[in-house]
Amino acid sequence: MSRIRVAIVGIGNCASSLVQGGVFYQKNPTVEGLIFPLIGPFAVNDVDFVLGIDVDDRKVGKTIAEAIFAKPNNAVVFQSDIARSSAEVIMGRMLDGMAPHMLAAGERGFQPASTPEATQHDIVNALRRERVDVLVNFLPVGSQEASAFYMECALEAGVGVVNAI
């Protein structure tokens, strides 16, 4: 494996910072700020973000490059020049991933997409189609059912997981 193909579930502020950071280090030949410039044979330049999964109407159907800057995200923008790849954000499964107070917060909260929610079969197929190596879980804190759902999908697809909830 010469590249690590990464999918992200939950395209919020943490996902925005991760993707921006990956692009920053790809464009700037420095290791300043990295605790581990290499993990085994892999460097930041070896990571490709190939799939996003979210349930917010402002992100589903967009590319990851667009979705990381969509509301309600408000992470600091330090790398705005994100390549417009074809890595799409697909509709996921809500379960307990949208807290009631965030549904009532207007533009500052979540706006559920009207697209039909994904099934386990849909997510597993997307992970396999994109040949994902690692799924990063950036769901909101407290999303126990949703996290369990995506972990089952990753297990079925044979994908590693970084649970960053």
Side-chain angles (χ1 to χ4, degrees):
M1 173 174 36
S2 61
R3 313 239 356 119
I4 302 172
R5 298 176 62 81
V6 176
I8 302 172
V9 59
I11 310 298
N13 289 322
C14 293
S16 180
S17 296
L18 178 65
V19 172
Q20 287 184 70
V23 171
F24 173 83
Y25 284 108
Q26 288 174 5
K27 291 183 176 197
N28 296 287
T30 181
V31 294
E32 187 175 327
L34 294 174
I35 296 171
F36 300 106
L38 289 174
I39 298 179
F42 299 106
V44 174
N45 292 343
D46 297 319
V47 175
D48 293 324
F49 298 101
V50 298
L51 179 67
I53 305 167
D54 206 284
V55 294
D56 192 288
D57 190 51
R58 296 161 291 186
K59 298 173 184 182
V60 174
K62 304 272 194 296
T63 65
I64 290 176
E66 296 166 318
I68 62 171
F69 299 121
K71 291 185 184 220
N73 291 7
N74 59 5
V76 171
V77 176
F78 60 91
Q79 184 65 53
S80 60
D81 185 20
I82 307 290
R84 301 289 184 233
S85 74
S86 60
E88 181 186 7
V89 177
I90 63 169
M91 181 63 178
R93 188 87 174 261
M94 288 187 212
L95 298 166
D96 61 349
M98 286 191 159
H101 72 280
M102 290 300 290
L103 289 169
E107 278 207 20
R108 295 181 64 208
F110 299 135
Q111 296 179 2
S114 58
T115 308
E117 291 185 57
T119 65
Q120 183 167 332
H121 180 75
D122 296 332
I123 299 299
V124 169
N125 282 347
L127 294 171
R128 288 179 176 159
R129 179 186 67 242
E130 298 302 330
R131 300 181 327 276
V132 171
D133 298 308
V134 177
L135 174 68
V136 177
N137 179 14
F138 278 139
L139 289 173
V141 170
S143 304
Q144 184 174 345
E145 290 175 17
S147 291
F149 169 77
Y150 289 108
M151 298 310 108
E152 288 295 328
C153 293
L155 281 169
E156 186 176 332
V159 171
V161 172
V162 173
N163 188 12
I165 192 167

Short mmCIF file of all heavy atoms in Angstrom, two decimals, residues 15-34 44-45 47 49 68-69 76-83:
data_model
loop_
_atom_site.label_atom_id
_atom_site.label_comp_id
_atom_site.label_asym_id
_atom_site.label_seq_id
_atom_site.Cartn_x
_atom_site.Cartn_y
_atom_site.Cartn_z
N ALA A 15 -13.04 17.60 10.92
CA ALA A 15 -12.74 17.14 9.56
C ALA A 15 -12.14 18.29 8.75
O ALA A 15 -11.19 18.09 7.99
CB ALA A 15 -14.00 16.62 8.88
N SER A 16 -12.67 19.48 8.92
CA SER A 16 -12.14 20.64 8.20
C SER A 16 -10.67 20.87 8.55
O SER A 16 -9.83 21.05 7.67
CB SER A 16 -12.96 21.89 8.55
OG SER A 16 -12.46 23.02 7.87
N SER A 17 -10.36 20.82 9.83
CA SER A 17 -8.97 21.03 10.26
C SER A 17 -8.05 19.92 9.76
O SER A 17 -6.92 20.19 9.33
CB SER A 17 -8.91 21.11 11.79
OG SER A 17 -9.62 22.24 12.24
N LEU A 18 -8.52 18.68 9.79
CA LEU A 18 -7.71 17.55 9.32
C LEU A 18 -7.40 17.67 7.83
O LEU A 18 -6.25 17.54 7.40
CB LEU A 18 -8.40 16.22 9.60
CG LEU A 18 -7.67 14.97 9.12
CD1 LEU A 18 -6.35 14.79 9.86
CD2 LEU A 18 -8.56 13.74 9.28
N VAL A 19 -8.42 17.93 7.03
CA VAL A 19 -8.22 18.04 5.57
C VAL A 19 -7.35 19.25 5.25
O VAL A 19 -6.41 19.15 4.44
CB VAL A 19 -9.58 18.11 4.83
CG1 VAL A 19 -9.38 18.42 3.36
CG2 VAL A 19 -10.34 16.80 5.02
N GLN A 20 -7.62 20.39 5.88
CA GLN A 20 -6.79 21.58 5.64
C GLN A 20 -5.33 21.30 6.02
O GLN A 20 -4.40 21.69 5.30
CB GLN A 20 -7.28 22.77 6.45
CG GLN A 20 -8.57 23.38 5.95
CD GLN A 20 -8.93 24.60 6.76
OE1 GLN A 20 -8.25 25.63 6.64
NE2 GLN A 20 -9.96 24.50 7.59
N GLY A 21 -5.14 20.62 7.17
CA GLY A 21 -3.78 20.30 7.61
C GLY A 21 -3.07 19.38 6.63
O GLY A 21 -1.89 19.56 6.32
N GLY A 22 -3.79 18.38 6.13
CA GLY A 22 -3.20 17.48 5.15
C GLY A 22 -2.74 18.22 3.91
O GLY A 22 -1.63 18.00 3.41
N VAL A 23 -3.57 19.13 3.42
CA VAL A 23 -3.22 19.91 2.23
C VAL A 23 -2.05 20.85 2.54
O VAL A 23 -1.13 21.01 1.73
CB VAL A 23 -4.44 20.68 1.69
CG1 VAL A 23 -4.04 21.66 0.60
CG2 VAL A 23 -5.50 19.70 1.20
N PHE A 24 -2.08 21.47 3.71
CA PHE A 24 -0.99 22.38 4.09
C PHE A 24 0.35 21.66 4.03
O PHE A 24 1.31 22.16 3.43
CB PHE A 24 -1.22 22.93 5.50
CG PHE A 24 -0.05 23.73 6.01
CD1 PHE A 24 0.10 25.06 5.67
CD2 PHE A 24 0.92 23.14 6.82
CE1 PHE A 24 1.18 25.80 6.12
CE2 PHE A 24 2.01 23.87 7.27
CZ PHE A 24 2.15 25.20 6.92
N TYR A 25 0.44 20.48 4.64
CA TYR A 25 1.72 19.76 4.67
C TYR A 25 2.09 19.18 3.31
O TYR A 25 3.28 18.97 3.05
CB TYR A 25 1.71 18.70 5.76
CG TYR A 25 1.88 19.31 7.13
CD1 TYR A 25 0.82 19.37 8.02
CD2 TYR A 25 3.10 19.85 7.53
CE1 TYR A 25 0.97 19.96 9.28
CE2 TYR A 25 3.27 20.44 8.77
CZ TYR A 25 2.20 20.49 9.64
OH TYR A 25 2.36 21.07 10.87
N GLN A 26 1.12 18.94 2.46
CA GLN A 26 1.44 18.50 1.11
C GLN A 26 2.05 19.63 0.30
O GLN A 26 2.91 19.42 -0.54
CB GLN A 26 0.20 17.95 0.41
CG GLN A 26 -0.23 16.61 0.96
CD GLN A 26 -1.54 16.12 0.38
OE1 GLN A 26 -2.11 16.74 -0.52
NE2 GLN A 26 -2.04 15.01 0.90
N LYS A 27 1.61 20.87 0.57
CA LYS A 27 2.08 22.02 -0.20
C LYS A 27 3.32 22.68 0.40
O LYS A 27 3.98 23.46 -0.28
CB LYS A 27 0.96 23.07 -0.30
CG LYS A 27 -0.19 22.61 -1.15
CD LYS A 27 -1.24 23.69 -1.27
CE LYS A 27 -2.32 23.21 -2.22
NZ LYS A 27 -3.15 24.29 -2.69
N ASN A 28 3.59 22.41 1.67
CA ASN A 28 4.72 23.05 2.35
C ASN A 28 5.68 21.96 2.85
O ASN A 28 5.33 21.19 3.73
CB ASN A 28 4.22 23.88 3.54
CG ASN A 28 3.35 25.03 3.08
OD1 ASN A 28 3.83 25.99 2.52
ND2 ASN A 28 2.05 24.90 3.28
N PRO A 29 6.88 21.95 2.32
CA PRO A 29 7.84 20.90 2.69
C PRO A 29 8.44 21.14 4.08
O PRO A 29 9.61 21.45 4.22
CB PRO A 29 8.90 20.98 1.58
CG PRO A 29 8.86 22.41 1.16
CD PRO A 29 7.42 22.85 1.31
N THR A 30 7.61 21.04 5.10
CA THR A 30 8.06 21.21 6.48
C THR A 30 7.44 20.11 7.33
O THR A 30 6.40 19.56 6.97
CB THR A 30 7.67 22.59 7.03
OG1 THR A 30 8.17 22.72 8.37
CG2 THR A 30 6.17 22.79 7.04
N VAL A 31 8.08 19.82 8.43
CA VAL A 31 7.50 18.89 9.39
C VAL A 31 7.22 19.63 10.70
O VAL A 31 6.80 19.03 11.68
CB VAL A 31 8.40 17.67 9.64
CG1 VAL A 31 8.50 16.83 8.38
CG2 VAL A 31 9.76 18.07 10.15
N GLU A 32 7.44 20.94 10.69
CA GLU A 32 7.18 21.75 11.88
C GLU A 32 5.70 21.61 12.27
O GLU A 32 4.81 21.77 11.44
CB GLU A 32 7.51 23.21 11.60
CG GLU A 32 7.42 24.08 12.83
CD GLU A 32 7.88 25.50 12.55
OE1 GLU A 32 8.78 25.69 11.71
OE2 GLU A 32 7.33 26.40 13.18
N GLY A 33 5.47 21.30 13.53
CA GLY A 33 4.11 21.13 14.02
C GLY A 33 3.64 19.69 14.03
O GLY A 33 2.61 19.39 14.62
N LEU A 34 4.35 18.80 13.37
CA LEU A 34 3.97 17.38 13.36
C LEU A 34 4.71 16.65 14.47
O LEU A 34 5.94 16.72 14.55
CB LEU A 34 4.32 16.74 12.01
CG LEU A 34 3.55 17.24 10.80
CD1 LEU A 34 4.11 16.60 9.53
CD2 LEU A 34 2.07 16.95 10.94
N VAL A 44 2.43 12.48 5.76
CA VAL A 44 1.18 13.19 5.47
C VAL A 44 0.85 13.14 3.98
O VAL A 44 -0.31 13.00 3.60
CB VAL A 44 1.27 14.67 5.94
CG1 VAL A 44 0.05 15.45 5.53
CG2 VAL A 44 1.45 14.72 7.45
N ASN A 45 1.86 13.20 3.15
CA ASN A 45 1.65 13.19 1.69
C ASN A 45 1.07 11.88 1.18
O ASN A 45 0.66 11.80 0.02
CB ASN A 45 2.96 13.46 0.96
CG ASN A 45 3.44 14.87 1.17
OD1 ASN A 45 2.70 15.74 1.59
ND2 ASN A 45 4.71 15.10 0.90
N VAL A 47 -1.62 10.39 2.39
CA VAL A 47 -3.04 10.30 2.76
C VAL A 47 -3.90 10.96 1.70
O VAL A 47 -3.67 12.10 1.31
CB VAL A 47 -3.28 10.96 4.14
CG1 VAL A 47 -4.76 10.96 4.48
CG2 VAL A 47 -2.47 10.27 5.22
N PHE A 49 -8.00 11.76 0.97
CA PHE A 49 -9.37 11.76 1.46
C PHE A 49 -10.28 11.44 0.28
O PHE A 49 -10.38 12.23 -0.65
CB PHE A 49 -9.71 13.11 2.10
CG PHE A 49 -8.83 13.40 3.29
CD1 PHE A 49 -7.75 14.26 3.18
CD2 PHE A 49 -9.06 12.78 4.50
CE1 PHE A 49 -6.93 14.51 4.27
CE2 PHE A 49 -8.24 13.01 5.59
CZ PHE A 49 -7.17 13.88 5.47
N ILE A 68 -16.19 20.95 3.82
CA ILE A 68 -15.46 21.32 5.03
C ILE A 68 -15.60 22.80 5.37
O ILE A 68 -15.34 23.20 6.51
CB ILE A 68 -13.96 20.93 4.96
CG1 ILE A 68 -13.25 21.66 3.82
CG2 ILE A 68 -13.80 19.42 4.89
CD1 ILE A 68 -11.74 21.49 3.82
N PHE A 69 -16.03 23.60 4.41
CA PHE A 69 -16.22 25.03 4.65
C PHE A 69 -17.70 25.42 4.75
O PHE A 69 -18.03 26.59 4.90
CB PHE A 69 -15.54 25.85 3.55
CG PHE A 69 -14.05 25.64 3.48
CD1 PHE A 69 -13.47 25.17 2.32
CD2 PHE A 69 -13.24 25.89 4.57
CE1 PHE A 69 -12.09 24.96 2.24
CE2 PHE A 69 -11.87 25.69 4.51
CZ PHE A 69 -11.30 25.22 3.34
N VAL A 76 -11.21 27.59 11.99
CA VAL A 76 -10.32 28.57 11.38
C VAL A 76 -9.89 28.06 10.01
O VAL A 76 -9.53 26.90 9.85
CB VAL A 76 -9.07 28.79 12.28
CG1 VAL A 76 -8.03 29.64 11.57
CG2 VAL A 76 -9.48 29.41 13.60
N VAL A 77 -9.96 28.94 9.02
CA VAL A 77 -9.51 28.58 7.68
C VAL A 77 -8.05 29.01 7.55
O VAL A 77 -7.74 30.19 7.57
CB VAL A 77 -10.38 29.27 6.60
CG1 VAL A 77 -9.84 28.97 5.20
CG2 VAL A 77 -11.83 28.83 6.72
N PHE A 78 -7.18 28.03 7.47
CA PHE A 78 -5.76 28.32 7.32
C PHE A 78 -5.20 27.78 6.02
O PHE A 78 -4.06 28.04 5.67
CB PHE A 78 -4.94 27.79 8.51
CG PHE A 78 -5.03 26.30 8.72
CD1 PHE A 78 -4.12 25.45 8.12
CD2 PHE A 78 -6.03 25.77 9.51
CE1 PHE A 78 -4.20 24.08 8.31
CE2 PHE A 78 -6.11 24.40 9.72
CZ PHE A 78 -5.20 23.56 9.11
N GLN A 79 -6.03 27.03 5.28
CA GLN A 79 -5.62 26.48 3.99
C GLN A 79 -6.86 26.46 3.09
O GLN A 79 -7.53 25.45 2.97
CB GLN A 79 -5.04 25.06 4.16
CG GLN A 79 -4.50 24.45 2.90
CD GLN A 79 -3.29 25.20 2.39
OE1 GLN A 79 -2.33 25.43 3.10
NE2 GLN A 79 -3.33 25.57 1.12
N SER A 80 -7.15 27.60 2.50
CA SER A 80 -8.38 27.71 1.71
C SER A 80 -8.25 27.10 0.32
O SER A 80 -9.24 26.79 -0.33
CB SER A 80 -8.81 29.17 1.60
OG SER A 80 -7.80 29.92 0.96
N ASP A 81 -7.03 26.92 -0.14
CA ASP A 81 -6.80 26.39 -1.49
C ASP A 81 -6.79 24.86 -1.44
O ASP A 81 -5.74 24.24 -1.47
CB ASP A 81 -5.50 26.94 -2.05
CG ASP A 81 -5.26 26.53 -3.49
OD1 ASP A 81 -6.23 26.15 -4.17
OD2 ASP A 81 -4.10 26.56 -3.92
N ILE A 82 -7.99 24.29 -1.35
CA ILE A 82 -8.14 22.83 -1.30
C ILE A 82 -8.48 22.36 -2.71
O ILE A 82 -9.43 22.86 -3.31
CB ILE A 82 -9.27 22.41 -0.32
CG1 ILE A 82 -9.08 23.04 1.06
CG2 ILE A 82 -9.39 20.91 -0.26
CD1 ILE A 82 -7.93 22.52 1.85
N ALA A 83 -7.71 21.42 -3.22
CA ALA A 83 -7.96 20.91 -4.57
C ALA A 83 -9.38 20.39 -4.67
O ALA A 83 -9.87 19.69 -3.79
CB ALA A 83 -6.96 19.81 -4.91
#
